[in-house]
Amino acid sequence: MIEIVDQTPNRLQLRDRDWNWLGLGLLGLPFVTVGLIVGLAVSNRTTLNCQRLATNPKSMVCQRIIDGYLGQNTLIIREPLMRASVRRTSGVGVVLYFSKTPELELVNHRIIVSYKQEIIANKINNFIQNSQIKILSVVQDDYLEGLMSGLMFLLPGLFLIIQGVTTPMLITCAFDKTSDRVTIFKQYLFKISKTIEAPLSQISEIKLQESSLFTKKPCFYLSLHDHSNENLNARIQFPTQLKRSPIIISGLHINQHHLLTVRRTIQQFLNNS
């Protein structure tokens, strides 16, 4: 919670220890974890090879090979392949039916079933029905699907973590009438810090603003504003890279009443020149 640590007629200092950086990081971590797991599990290349025996065209040996980031898995079935179908429910895809073995799913993960699976199933059934075809080889490449599925979770998680890293852990704001300066110090994660200074005489008001972040409850913060509404040429001279950024002097808080009290204190200090 933002607090006043020093208050005299010529100096006012505020300190705000903000824990939103930790909350955003913890909120984004599960998304990143799920995104990595989904991406690694779905990013596979599945190959089905079948060959008819020369002695008996009705007999065959089939081999399913699954290659992925988690390794390779090979399954050999020495039974005739009876048929193949496409099951759209639950994202199963191509299902193989052998003479003795229970139904076998071609891939070992869930997918978005599309025309690609229909083409694979038709090619397998054509091989089964045409005894003149001695060798079958079909490939289902899901590396792109795995990448896209993983990014669906990974990107929101990274966004939240980046928001957490770029959220200050500690903000101190000192108003000094003697030097006519306002100094804002922000401490970030990994010992990164930023200091902003501006002429105190150019600050016109302190505003209470609502955050644009999607939260369960509205969050508010305090920001400095200069006389730019009165004179467009009289802007606070911040460093070039900060000119377009809001001059925020507090973290996010749900206690709007407390921030209003702090704002009133700062405004009274500025008005009592």
Side-chain angles (χ1 to χ4, degrees):
M1 179 174 290
I2 187 170
E3 58 181 347
I4 299 173
V5 295
D6 186 18
Q7 185 176 11
T8 66
N10 292 322
R11 181 176 174 82
L12 177 65
Q13 183 174 350
L14 310 173
R15 181 174 61 194
D16 188 9
R17 188 169 295 278
D18 191 357
W19 292 99
N20 287 302
W21 66 272
L22 180 60
L24 289 168
L26 293 177
L27 185 61
L29 190 60
F31 286 92
V32 172
T33 303
V34 172
L36 291 174
I37 292 175
V38 171
L40 292 174
V42 178
S43 297
N44 292 324
R45 187 173 186 268
T46 304
T47 304
L48 177 67
N49 298 316
C50 293
Q51 183 173 3
R52 298 182 189 275
L53 300 180
T55 55
N56 185 1
K58 293 185 179 181
S59 300
M60 63 184 71
V61 177
C62 292
Q63 182 184 55
R64 187 192 67 175
I65 304 172
I66 300 177
D67 280 305
Y69 293 114
L70 300 179
Q72 185 182 88
N73 177 269
T74 301
L75 176 65
I76 298 177
I77 301 178
R78 303 180 183 278
E79 301 173 22
L81 181 58
M82 308 302 293
R83 66 185 179 93
S85 65
V86 176
R87 185 177 298 166
R88 297 184 177 276
T89 56
S90 303
V92 173
V94 178
V95 179
L96 307 174
Y97 299 89
F98 293 86
S99 59
K100 298 178 182 179
T101 303
E103 61 183 47
L104 175 68
E105 297 174 7
L106 179 62
V107 298
N108 63 347
H109 55 267
R110 292 299 172 256
I111 56 175
I112 298 176
V113 182
S114 63
Y115 70 93
K116 180 168 67 174
Q117 284 70 39
E118 296 287 351
I119 294 175
I120 292 174
N122 290 336
K123 187 174 181 180
I124 295 173
N125 287 324
N126 185 52
F127 166 77
I128 296 171
Q129 296 167 5
N130 189 349
S131 59
Q132 299 300 317
I133 304 175
K134 304 300 182 182
I135 298 176
L136 168 70
S137 181
V138 294
V139 178
Q140 180 169 317
D141 193 331
D142 293 323
Y143 276 103
L144 180 60
E145 286 81 353
L147 175 64
M148 298 304 296
S149 299
L151 288 177
M152 288 177 60
F153 295 94
L154 191 63
L155 290 181
L158 289 177
F159 173 78
L160 290 171
I161 290 177
I162 291 173
Q163 287 289 323
V165 172
T166 56
T167 297
M169 304 167 57
L170 176 67
I171 302 176
T172 59
C173 183
F175 301 87
D176 194 330
K177 292 180 181 179
T178 304
S179 60
D180 188 33
R181 306 296 293 177
V182 55
T183 304
I184 301 129
F185 174 80
K186 297 184 178 183
Q187 178 72 52
Y188 297 86
L189 199 62
F190 309 120
K191 296 184 178 180
I192 299 173
S193 62
K194 181 188 297 182
T195 301
I196 306 171
E197 291 187 340
L200 184 62
S201 57
Q202 289 191 15
I203 298 174
S204 61
E205 65 175 326
I206 309 297
K207 285 189 177 181
L208 177 70
Q209 296 184 288
E210 184 174 346
S211 171
S212 59
L213 290 177
F214 179 76
T215 54
K216 290 184 178 180
K217 295 182 179 180
C219 290
F220 304 89
Y221 62 92
L222 296 175
S223 60
L224 299 178
H225 292 264
D226 62 7
H227 294 284
S228 57
N229 291 333
E230 303 169 9
N231 182 359
L232 294 176
N233 295 322
R235 292 188 177 276
I236 296 176
Q237 297 301 310
F238 286 111
T240 304
Q241 68 270 23
L242 299 172
K243 284 183 179 180
R244 297 181 180 179
S245 302
I247 312 162
I248 300 172
I249 63 172
S250 78
L252 298 179
H253 298 276
I254 60 175
N255 191 337
Q256 185 180 9
H257 178 73
H258 177 70
L259 285 183
L260 284 172
T261 302
V262 174
R263 172 188 174 276
R264 190 179 306 113
T265 301
I266 301 173
Q267 200 69 55
Q268 289 175 351
F269 175 82
L270 295 176
N271 294 336
N272 295 333
S273 302

